[in-house]
Amino acid sequence: VYLGVWTNWSRGPVMGLTLTMTRSNADLLIAFVAFYIAFVGRRFWRIFCFACHSIVSSRTGQAREGTYHQHQVILRNAETATSGVVALVQVLWAWR
């Protein structure tokens, strides 16, 4: 079995690019990709929260209700996307 980068021409020059490696190297690559995706996901959540917080807080002339302040606190303090979404749903459910 050939180890390295090669092209499976039956799938074309772009979709056919293939990387073959040993099992231990593949395990390391999978672990790195999983770590990288988790890291990027956390950073994207923080950027998304900051953008939402900035957009909502830049609106002037609006009365500030309790839901506004709770949403701002959640956007500022939510550690993960899951905890943030759950907290926002709980606030929306409580103020329905």
Side-chain angles (χ1 to χ4, degrees):
V1 174
Y2 178 76
L3 297 177
V5 179
W6 55 281
T7 304
N8 181 358
W9 291 107
S10 65
R11 298 193 66 199
V14 175
M15 296 298 292
L17 279 177
T18 305
L19 174 64
T20 307
M21 56 181 51
T22 63
R23 177 66 182 218
S24 61
N25 288 341
D27 290 341
L28 289 173
L29 179 65
I30 290 170
F32 172 76
V33 169
F35 174 76
Y36 181 75
I37 290 173
F39 179 77
V40 169
R42 284 191 300 271
R43 295 297 101 206
F44 177 76
W45 171 250
R46 297 306 306 158
I47 292 169
F48 176 76
C49 285
F50 176 74
C52 289
H53 178 79
S54 296
I55 289 169
V56 172
S57 64
S58 67
R59 296 179 185 163
T60 59
Q62 292 181 341
R64 303 293 191 211
E65 297 177 349
T67 56
Y68 166 80
H69 295 291
Q70 287 180 334
H71 288 161
Q72 294 297 78
V73 167
I74 291 169
L75 288 174
R76 173 65 181 96
N77 296 325
E79 288 292 325
T80 64
T82 305
S83 66
V85 170
V86 167
L88 287 171
V89 168
Q90 288 173 343
V91 166
L92 291 174
W93 185 259
W95 284 86
R96 58 186 161 101

